[in-house]
Amino acid sequence: QVRLVESGGGSVQPGGSLRLSCTASGGSVSKYAMGWFRQAPGKERELTAAINWDDDESYYLNSVKGRFTLTRDNPRNTVYLQMTDLKPEDTAVYYCVGDRNFCSGHGCHPDEYRYWGQGSQVTVSS
């Protein structure tokens, strides 16, 4: 059973940066498609970023392109979501996800990813 543990959330002013970390146990991130969903208050969860197991394909929500970067550190069995130029509309709970199969795009349902982290609150406010 793969377990994902997140860290790095917090509060930041608009224009600031945060890095979320997601460390896996019970499985190797190098063998899984990994990604991040987010859920803002009153809204559905949306796939924010994802990367295929061999890093040959990636996806970013249009509103975060150029600001967010998902990377994978196989020796540390960890994936990261580097978030820069944060905006108030980025405020949400962010969830690390993993699955054998890669799902991307606006139509990717949360059920497509089997493994989930506990969620990390990111608040962007002045």
Side-chain angles (χ1 to χ4, degrees):
Q1 181 72 12
V2 176
R3 182 173 180 235
L4 302 176
V5 178
E6 303 171 28
S7 61
S11 297
V12 65
Q13 292 185 341
S17 299
L18 282 175
R19 188 179 75 165
L20 301 179
S21 300
C22 172
T23 300
S25 59
S28 174
V29 298
S30 66
K31 297 181 180 179
Y32 291 85
M34 302 296 297
W36 295 84
F37 276 82
R38 71 183 183 183
Q39 186 168 23
K43 295 187 177 181
E44 295 185 349
R45 292 185 185 184
E46 60 181 359
L47 183 63
T48 306
I51 191 166
N52 201 359
W53 71 273
D54 60 358
D55 295 348
D56 71 342
E57 188 175 358
S58 64
Y59 165 80
Y60 291 93
L61 189 67
N62 280 340
S63 62
V64 307
K65 283 182 180 177
R67 301 189 296 119
F68 289 15
T69 305
L70 192 163
T71 57
R72 189 199 311 262
D73 185 340
N74 290 336
R76 296 181 183 272
N77 216 23
T78 298
V79 295
Y80 303 97
L81 185 67
Q82 179 68 50
M83 304 180 290
T84 63
D85 190 22
L86 282 160
K87 306 176 186 299
E89 52 264 38
D90 295 318
T91 295
V93 178
Y94 285 71
Y95 297 90
C96 176
V97 296
D99 197 273
R100 291 284 189 183
N101 299 310
F102 180 60
C103 176
S104 67
H106 184 69
C108 183
H109 193 275
D111 288 348
E112 298 287 344
Y113 281 88
R114 179 176 182 180
Y115 303 110
W116 286 72
Q118 81 277 16
S120 296
Q121 177 68 48
V122 171
T123 302
V124 185
S125 174
S126 55

